[in-house]
């Protein structure tokens, strides 16, 4: 039995990790007769060469209820795509790879670009958007889950717990967000969530009042987790960023489209570790530096749709308010780490906060300087309205790629 409580915003399921996996999977097999399940795996080719993804695939081979696995493959040339096909071929479930850099999908992207509908930049959001379009068009799944491909501590119980709330035929949830403790190898992790998002949301509430949208985002235990599930129709109407703002963008869109009574979060694992991004303080195009910029811009854009107005002076005030709250939180995290026998580098924590504070201003300048920017990818509803047969042709292109390959393609 899962212990849960209602926090006033969304339902929060606790301790589902205590339930035997065999019982969960047995139920999910039964649920799949009414609600077939699809899994999206957004992946860089480089992740096929790392330690996490091979183990994830081995775990997925043992999942008995999946109708479909869809892999979005970025930064792969022809030979790398061929290797990816062989890599995933061990999956017994129906599975397809979207070769995002292949000539067929590039041609469809160019057609969308001509209509002003294509994602404007590469990134995880773009990858997930194309996979979402494919899943909708394939029609194999009524419930869709997504998780990252760099989870070092992955076991298939994580997926079962992620699917359960939206796959259960007697539950009314449309969307589920996963969370887990960010502790690994004796360290307290999750810096962007702990040191940027949490104090930023609280600074925004302090400046703009208790907006329902901000209260909603602050109710998630781990807003930046890459694990979520939803009914397939949710994918129709959401507009998401193409970059690292994906998670905040998805949470914002489901809040706009659905009652919070139909949203939930679930405890996925007792331990979770993945590939850690470097801070990249000297390089704004990578690591936590780029991630924090993208997240801040996504949040500002979504707040603007809530009627919040911003100014250069306001962003300076936000930076100062955030900075004080973040330093206070570092004190609390330090005490928490000591009490639990964990390591925490206070100097590195404060350096990260200084970087995030500077990026709040940088993101604010980008927001003010580009009022005509189109930051979100159009919904698939709009794509179908503009080019009705494009989803069907996307499925055909993926089928062709998974059966044959063009003679050559320029390395990306």
């Amino acid at each position: 039995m899962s212990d849960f409580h209602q926090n006033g915003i969304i339902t929060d399921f606790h301790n589902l990790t205590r339930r035997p996996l065999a019982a969960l999977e047995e139920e999910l097999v039964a649920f799949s007769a009414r609600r077939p399940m699809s899994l999206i795996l957004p992946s860089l080719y480089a992740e096929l060469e790392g330690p996490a993804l091979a183990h994830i695939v081995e775990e997925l081979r043992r999942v008995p209820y999946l109708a479909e696995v869809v892999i979005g493959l970025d930064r792969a040339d022809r030979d790398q795509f061929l290797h990816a096909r062989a890599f995933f071929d061990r999956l017994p479930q129906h599975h397809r790879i979207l070769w995002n850099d292949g000539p067929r999908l590039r041609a469809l992207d160019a057609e969308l670009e001509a209509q002003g509908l294509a994602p404007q930049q590469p990134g995880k959001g773009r990858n997930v958007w194309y996979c979402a379009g494919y899943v909708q068009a394939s029609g194999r799944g009524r419930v869709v889950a997504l998780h990252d491909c760099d989870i070092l501590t992955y076991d298939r119980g994580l997926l079962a717990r992620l699917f359960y709330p939206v796959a259960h035929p007697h539950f009314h949830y449309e969307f589920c967000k996963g969370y887990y403790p960010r502790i690994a190898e004796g360290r307290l992790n999750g810096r962007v969530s702990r040191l940027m998002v949490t104090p930023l949301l609280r600074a925004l509430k302090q400046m703009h009042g208790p907006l329902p949208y901000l209260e909603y985002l602050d109710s998630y235990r781990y807003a930046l987790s890459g694990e979520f599930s939803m009914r397939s129709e949710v994918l129709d109407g959401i507009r998401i960023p193409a970059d690292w703002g994906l998670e905040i963008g998805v949470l914002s869109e489901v809040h706009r489209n659905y009652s919070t009574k139909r949203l939930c979060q679930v405890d996925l694992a007792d331990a979770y570790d993945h590939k850690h991004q470097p801070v990249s303080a000297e390089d704004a195009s990578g690591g936590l530096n780029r991630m924090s910029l993208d997240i801040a811009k996504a949040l500002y854009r979504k707040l603007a749709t809530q009627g919040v107005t911003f100014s250069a002076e306001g962003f300076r005030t936000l930076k100062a308010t955030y900075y004080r709250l973040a330093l206070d939180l570092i004190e609390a995290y330090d005490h928490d780490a000591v009490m639990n026998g964990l390591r925490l580098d206070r100097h590195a924590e404060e350096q990260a906060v200084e970087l995030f504070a500077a990026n709040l201003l940088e993101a604010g300048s980008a927001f003010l300087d580009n009022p005509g920017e189109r930051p979100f990818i159009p919904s698939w509803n709009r794509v179908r309205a503009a080019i009705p047969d494009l989803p069907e042709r996307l499925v055909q292109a993926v089928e062709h790629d998974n059966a044959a390959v063009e003679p050559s393609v320029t390395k990306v």
Side-chain angles (χ1 to χ4, degrees), residues 193-215:
S193 183
R194 289 189 297 108
L195 300 177
M196 180 192 168
V197 174
T198 295
L200 175 57
L201 291 175
R202 294 175 186 178
L204 287 163
K205 286 194 287 186
Q206 194 166 310
M207 290 178 61
H208 299 286
L211 297 175
Y213 171 68
L214 293 174
E215 296 291 345

Side-chain angles (χ1 to χ4, degrees), residues 150-153 182-185 189 271-276:
D150 63 350
I151 307 171
L152 296 167
T153 52
R182 294 310 321 277
I183 297 169
E185 298 179 347
N189 295 321
Y272 181 101
D273 194 18
H274 66 165
K275 181 186 71 177
H276 299 285

Side-chain angles (χ1 to χ4, degrees), residues 40 42 70 72 74 98 100 105 108-109 112-113 116-121 123-136 146 235-242 246 250 374 376-384 387 390-391 394:
I40 292 174
V70 176
D74 274 348
L98 272 71
N100 292 318
L105 267 60
L108 291 180
D109 189 73
L112 286 165
E113 178 64 34
L117 299 174
Q120 295 300 294
Q121 57 182 303
K124 181 181 177 182
R126 178 186 185 276
N127 190 337
V128 170
W129 186 80
Y130 273 109
C131 289
Y134 175 85
V135 167
Q136 290 173 288
L146 180 147
L235 295 169
D236 268 348
I238 60 175
R239 300 170 61 245
I240 60 175
L246 170 67
V250 169
R374 180 166 59 85
F376 301 109
I377 310 172
S379 71
W380 277 98
N381 272 339
R382 182 177 175 190
V383 171
R384 282 194 297 274
I387 315 174
L390 190 131
L394 172 61

Side-chain angles (χ1 to χ4, degrees), residues 293-321:
L293 277 167
D294 290 347
I295 290 167
K297 286 189 286 188
L299 192 54
Y300 297 160
R301 292 161 182 156
K302 289 299 183 182
L303 280 167
T305 70
Q306 301 282 318
V308 174
T309 58
F310 292 102
S311 65
E313 294 80 8
F315 283 124
R316 286 194 288 270
T317 301
L318 177 62
K319 176 188 175 183
T321 307

Side-chain angles (χ1 to χ4, degrees), residues 26-49:
E26 183 178 358
E27 287 195 67
L28 286 164
V29 169
F31 299 164
S32 67
R34 292 180 59 181
R35 292 183 175 169
M37 289 166 246
S38 298
L39 173 64
I40 292 174
L41 298 175
S43 177
L44 299 170
Y45 175 78
E47 288 174 316
L48 275 69
E49 301 175 320

Side-chain angles (χ1 to χ4, degrees), residues 344-369:
L344 185 141
D345 185 337
R346 286 198 60 162
H347 176 59
E349 297 267 294
E350 294 203 21
Q351 284 182 316
V353 164
E354 290 166 358
L355 174 67
F356 297 154
N359 281 348
L360 295 185
L361 279 182
E362 181 70 23
S365 296
F367 174 83
L368 295 175
D369 293 343

Side-chain angles (χ1 to χ4, degrees), residues 75-95:
R75 301 183 190 175
D77 63 21
R78 175 185 178 276
D79 290 339
Q80 290 167 335
F81 172 65
L82 288 173
H83 175 245
R85 286 201 318 189
F87 182 90
F88 288 105
D89 195 50
R90 73 190 92 167
L91 288 172
Q93 302 91 349
H94 182 276
H95 59 278

